[in-house]
Amino acid sequence: MARRPLPRILNSGSASITRGRELARTAADNATDVLHPLIRIIRGLRLLAGAGRRKWAATPKERRNPTLFLVAACVLVVALIPYGPLLALAAVMGAAAWKGRERTPVKTGPDKSETGRLQALYEALVPYFSVADDPSPLFAHGGDWGKAFSGYEFDGDGRVTRLKVAYPAYFTDGEAASRIRIEQLLHTKSGRGREYHFAWDEEANQLVMSVLDALPTSIAAQRFVTTPGETVLGFTDDDAVQRKVPVTDGEETRDAPPVVWRTGARSTEPHLLIVGQPGSGASTLMRSIALQALQHGDILIIEGSGTGEYGCLTGRTGVLAVECGLAGALATLEWAAHETERRLIAANRARQAGHPPPEDTKRPLWILLDRPSVLGHLAAVDGRPDPQELLQVPLRHGRAANVTVVTTDQFESLDTLSETVRTHTRARVVLGPCARDQVESVLGLEPHTTPPPDVPPGRGYARLGTGPVLRLQVPATPDPYDDATSEAHRQAVLDLLPARQPAVEATVPEPTSPDPLPAEAALTAGHVLTAEQLTLSE
């Protein structure tokens, strides 16, 4: 059957009803705008009245009569002074307007999406934090996540930035493998691409996961406020160390938390080992250490890679030698061993005679050895001794002789390091992207953070002796002769370099010379010798 059209009066009536609703809504909105001050004052009066009623109810009965008398006296005084009632009315209206202002509602809990994330984390942790015979499990499928998560925070994208987890007492939190499984799970479920810190409280059975901010990379090489014997390796988190030093960061000066390595006779970690990937910033850290060491001591630089990373230090005051070849490296290290023995003998004789140690034994001597594995390979091919064998005396007795050894190499060459180097380099630094097991193999302890996949040059971890593992960002100290270096960083490094000294050619003695160590005397005097001169002087 064909549907009959509606009467015309009904069609026109629906349009009139719609138009009437729009007019009524517009009138209500306009009235609300006009009467908004009055509505605000009325809301404030209602809130003030409620607060007064609660205050009166909380007042003890023995204090109500004195309170009424005080209020009546105040009202009488206000009524008797000129313009008192008018001023009182204005004050009440102002207080009501302030009290009745619209406020942004305070968020008291997670929203729907955040609740879903917390529930997903809770369900993912159930297989690890529950057992079948637990009569009252804290973690159970479909359970309440509010009992397990006592604290949580989210960022603007709805991802977890901080989570406090309570776990059962029977969980094996003392085993590293169990902790790693939980950390990897939370890292995966909370979002990749960020660095997380995990704080385990075994006594209270609680785990706190927090997202760490990236360490600043804008701090360049500069003079740090340190005492002799202190070297700034880099900078870390604010709550990781108890000390801060003023640094220049761009155009401003601020305080930053440093990782300070102490050397000298009282140091418990007198030597340093740096391990990293190619391009991780190991040479940058070596240059930074060299610039700081030149303030109070002399340095010897031996570069096994042969890339000329330390050419800017050649011929500078305090730089005894910069060697890239095998012959020069062996001669320089042999002199360093003899110099260490000489300092020990001189200091021992002075102590036996009741005199202070000679001044030439107090000045620090730094041996910076870059890529000894390459030099060891060249020495094996050429039938010469490994340069690491010549480091035994400086490494074992360097602390008493004010001799410090800094060695750097790459992960794939760690097995070529000698046992002496591994034993006596108790201060360790790992740079570049690396897995947790790689960090543990060098530092002896796993970090409490998840290593990020992509890191800037100079980013890594440091551990001094038996201390904790600290995040580290090395100050930018590039090669000033590199074309890719920015002008600001280039000038910062050049300003720290000592002045150049005129080259002094050492005279090679005859074989019958009474001086058995002419090369040692030349190096002690600050002369820069070539590899051929050091070889012939032997």
Side-chain angles (χ1 to χ4, degrees):
M1 179 180 296
R3 184 174 297 177
R4 297 178 60 183
L6 292 173
R8 183 176 180 182
I9 186 173
L10 293 181
N11 291 336
S12 60
S14 61
S16 301
I17 293 173
T18 303
R19 192 180 305 111
R21 289 177 179 174
E22 293 178 355
L23 292 175
R25 188 179 297 109
T26 303
D29 294 339
N30 294 335
T32 302
D33 295 337
V34 172
L35 300 177
H36 179 72
L38 182 59
I39 296 174
R40 180 175 178 178
I41 292 175
I42 293 175
R43 186 191 304 120
L45 291 174
R46 179 171 52 84
L47 294 176
L48 289 175
R53 186 167 53 254
R54 290 191 298 271
K55 185 68 175 178
W56 177 258
T59 304
K61 293 183 178 180
E62 63 273 9
R63 297 180 56 186
R64 291 184 178 182
N65 292 332
T67 302
L68 285 176
F69 178 77
L70 180 61
V71 171
C74 292
V75 172
L76 180 61
V77 171
V78 170
L80 293 178
I81 64 176
Y83 304 103
L86 184 60
L87 294 176
L89 179 62
V92 171
M93 292 298 103
W98 175 258
K99 190 71 175 178
R101 70 189 187 279
E102 295 181 357
R103 304 175 184 177
T104 304
V106 179
K107 184 178 180 181
T108 58
D111 56 19
K112 185 176 181 180
S113 62
E114 295 172 351
T115 302
R117 285 181 176 270
L118 293 175
Q119 186 66 33
L121 286 173
Y122 177 84
E123 295 290 340
L125 292 173
V126 168
Y128 303 94
F129 285 154
S130 63
V131 293
D133 54 351
D134 190 352
S136 179
L138 182 62
F139 285 82
H141 291 292
D144 183 13
W145 57 264
K147 298 179 180 179
F149 300 157
S150 57
Y152 46 83
E153 295 178 6
F154 294 86
D155 58 8
D157 298 331
R159 297 193 299 176
V160 179
T161 59
R162 187 178 184 277
L163 184 65
K164 188 175 183 181
V165 183
Y167 54 87
Y170 52 75
F171 176 73
T172 56
D173 52 4
E175 300 178 1
S178 301
R179 295 197 305 267
I180 291 175
R181 285 196 298 267
I182 300 300
E183 293 175 3
Q184 290 178 346
L185 175 64
L186 292 175
H187 176 206
T188 304
K189 293 296 183 180
S190 300
R192 299 180 182 273
R194 299 185 297 177
E195 192 168 3
Y196 295 86
H197 178 267
F198 297 93
W200 290 86
D201 187 357
E202 292 87 351
E203 185 178 359
N205 297 323
Q206 290 184 347
L207 167 63
V208 178
M209 181 194 71
S210 56
V211 177
L212 297 175
D213 297 330
L215 295 176
T217 60
S218 55
I219 301 177
Q222 55 192 279
R223 293 295 184 203
F224 301 112
V225 181
T226 56
T227 60
E230 292 184 344
T231 303
V232 176
L233 300 179
F235 298 91
T236 183
D237 300 298
D238 292 336
D239 56 349
V241 294
Q242 300 179 355
R243 176 180 176 182
K244 291 187 177 182
V245 296
V247 297
T248 301
D249 188 356
E251 299 296 334
E252 63 178 7
T253 301
R254 62 181 182 86
D255 293 336
V259 179
V260 179
W261 172 42
R262 293 174 177 84
T263 57
R266 300 182 181 274
S267 173
T268 58
E269 303 88 21
H271 308 296
L272 175 67
L273 174 62
I274 305 170
V275 182
Q277 303 286 359
S280 60
S283 300
T284 296
L285 180 54
M286 288 281 279
R287 276 189 294 269
S288 177
I289 293 175
L291 293 177
Q292 297 180 64
L294 286 173
Q295 299 182 63
H296 309 287
D298 301 325
I299 65 173
L300 290 170
I301 300 178
I302 302 170
E303 182 184 0
S305 58
T307 57
E309 292 283 344
Y310 311 97
C312 61
L313 297 168
T314 304
R316 304 283 180 175
T317 301
V319 181
L320 303 183
V322 178
E323 292 294 343
C324 299
L326 177 60
L330 292 175
T332 303
L333 290 177
E334 185 176 356
W335 174 87
H338 289 309
E339 174 65 13
T340 303
E341 295 175 350
R342 184 195 68 80
R343 291 187 175 204
L344 289 175
I345 294 173
N348 186 34
R349 289 176 178 175
R351 283 193 294 267
Q352 290 180 356
H355 300 296
E359 292 297 328
D360 59 349
T361 63
K362 294 181 179 180
R363 184 170 176 82
L365 175 63
W366 293 69
I367 304 174
L368 308 182
L369 181 56
D370 190 2
R371 299 297 304 279
S373 59
V374 178
L375 294 174
H377 176 72
L378 295 177
V381 173
D382 203 16
R384 297 191 178 189
D386 192 337
Q388 298 184 59
E389 297 178 2
L390 301 174
L391 286 176
Q392 293 186 9
V393 175
L395 285 173
R396 291 177 178 176
H397 308 287
R399 178 172 58 181
N402 283 326
V403 177
T404 303
V405 180
V406 180
T407 307
T408 177
D409 221 314
Q410 298 181 2
F411 278 104
E412 58 269 16
S413 304
L414 284 179
D415 54 348
T416 63
L417 294 179
S418 64
E419 187 65 25
T420 305
V421 173
R422 290 174 174 270
T423 302
H424 292 86
T425 52
R426 292 171 48 82
R428 303 286 181 88
V429 173
V430 177
L431 297 177
C434 51
R436 296 173 66 100
D437 55 347
Q438 290 179 313
V439 178
E440 184 183 10
S441 65
V442 178
L443 303 183
L445 189 67
E446 289 187 352
H448 292 290
T449 63
T450 55
D454 299 324
V455 295
R459 173 68 174 84
Y461 298 93
R463 189 187 185 198
L464 305 179
T466 58
V469 179
L470 304 175
R471 292 203 305 166
L472 179 72
Q473 179 62 51
V474 178
T477 315
D479 183 7
Y481 298 157
D482 190 358
D483 296 336
T485 303
S486 64
E487 186 60 30
H489 289 170
R490 187 198 320 277
Q491 192 60 41
V493 176
L494 292 176
D495 292 342
L496 298 178
L497 289 174
R500 289 189 179 274
Q501 292 294 329
V504 179
E505 294 294 337
T507 303
V508 181
E510 298 296 332
T512 59
S513 173
D515 186 6
L517 295 174
E520 288 83 335
L523 280 173
T524 305
H527 300 165
V528 180
L529 304 182
T530 62
E532 291 78 6
Q533 292 170 341
L534 286 170
T535 305
L536 291 175
S537 63
E538 297 175 359

